Protein backbone atom coordinates (compact mmCIF):
# COMPACT_ATOMS: atom_id res chain seq x y z
CA UNK A 1 0.00 0.00 0.00
CA UNK A 2 1.09 3.57 -0.63
CA UNK A 3 2.91 5.21 2.33
CA UNK A 4 0.52 8.19 2.23
CA UNK A 5 -2.40 5.83 2.78
CA UNK A 6 -0.65 4.10 5.66
CA UNK A 7 -0.02 7.43 7.35
CA UNK A 8 -3.65 8.47 6.90
CA UNK A 9 -2.96 11.37 4.51
CA UNK A 10 -4.88 10.05 1.53
CA UNK A 11 -8.15 8.30 0.80
CA UNK A 12 -7.49 4.58 0.18
CA UNK A 13 -10.40 4.41 -2.32
CA UNK A 14 -8.44 6.65 -4.69
CA UNK A 15 -5.67 4.05 -4.96
CA UNK A 16 -7.87 1.07 -5.77
CA UNK A 17 -7.26 -0.24 -9.28
CA UNK A 18 -10.00 0.64 -11.74
CA UNK A 19 -11.34 3.59 -9.69
CA UNK A 20 -10.94 6.80 -11.67
CA UNK A 21 -12.36 9.98 -10.11
CA UNK A 22 -13.70 11.19 -13.46
CA UNK A 23 -15.66 7.97 -13.99
CA UNK A 24 -17.02 8.13 -10.45
CA UNK A 25 -18.09 11.75 -11.02
CA UNK A 26 -19.79 10.79 -14.29
CA UNK A 27 -21.71 7.94 -12.65
CA UNK A 28 -22.76 10.04 -9.65
CA UNK A 29 -24.08 12.79 -11.94
CA UNK A 30 -25.85 10.20 -14.09
CA UNK A 31 -27.60 8.57 -11.13
CA UNK A 32 -28.51 11.95 -9.61
CA UNK A 33 -29.99 13.14 -12.90
CA UNK A 34 -32.07 10.00 -13.33
CA UNK A 35 -33.28 10.20 -9.72
CA UNK A 36 -34.29 13.86 -10.09
CA UNK A 37 -36.14 13.09 -13.32
CA UNK A 38 -38.01 10.21 -11.68
CA UNK A 39 -38.97 12.27 -8.62
CA UNK A 40 -39.94 15.28 -10.73
CA UNK A 41 -42.13 13.16 -13.00
CA UNK A 42 -43.76 11.18 -10.18
CA UNK A 43 -44.67 13.96 -7.74
CA UNK A 44 -47.17 16.62 -8.77
CA UNK A 45 -45.76 20.12 -8.54
CA UNK A 46 -42.13 19.04 -8.78
CA UNK A 47 -41.62 20.03 -12.40
CA UNK A 48 -38.52 22.01 -11.45
CA UNK A 49 -36.84 18.77 -10.30
CA UNK A 50 -37.60 17.24 -13.67
CA UNK A 51 -36.02 20.18 -15.46
CA UNK A 52 -32.98 20.18 -13.15
CA UNK A 53 -32.56 16.45 -13.78
CA UNK A 54 -32.67 16.95 -17.54
CA UNK A 55 -30.15 19.80 -17.33
CA UNK A 56 -27.91 17.63 -15.16
CA UNK A 57 -28.02 14.81 -17.71
CA UNK A 58 -27.20 17.24 -20.53
CA UNK A 59 -24.27 18.62 -18.52
CA UNK A 60 -23.10 15.07 -17.80
CA UNK A 61 -23.17 14.14 -21.49
CA UNK A 62 -21.30 17.35 -22.40
CA UNK A 63 -18.69 16.49 -19.76
CA UNK A 64 -18.31 13.02 -21.25
CA UNK A 65 -18.00 14.41 -24.78
CA UNK A 66 -15.44 17.03 -23.74
CA UNK A 67 -13.43 14.45 -21.85
CA UNK A 68 -13.41 12.00 -24.76
CA UNK A 69 -12.40 14.75 -27.22
CA UNK A 70 -9.69 15.99 -24.88
CA UNK A 71 -8.21 12.52 -24.42
CA UNK A 72 -8.42 11.51 -28.09
CA UNK A 73 -5.02 11.07 -29.72
CA UNK A 74 -4.03 13.74 -32.22
CA UNK A 75 -2.86 11.91 -35.33
CA UNK A 76 -1.63 13.74 -38.41
CA UNK A 77 -3.56 13.20 -41.63
CA UNK A 78 -1.87 10.94 -44.18
Amino acid sequence: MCPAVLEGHADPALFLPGRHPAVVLFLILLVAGIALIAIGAAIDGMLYLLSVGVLLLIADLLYLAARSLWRSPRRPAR
Side-chain angles (χ1 to χ4, degrees), residues 3-51:
V5 173
L6 293 176
E7 294 175 9
H9 296 296
D11 184 15
L14 295 177
F15 293 100
L16 294 176
R19 303 285 175 141
H20 299 286
V23 175
V24 172
L25 176 65
F26 173 76
L27 292 175
I28 288 172
L29 289 175
L30 184 69
V31 170
I34 292 171
L36 286 174
I37 289 173
I39 292 170
I43 300 175
D44 190 34
M46 295 287 182
L47 188 60
Y48 67 94
L49 283 181
L50 179 70
S51 60

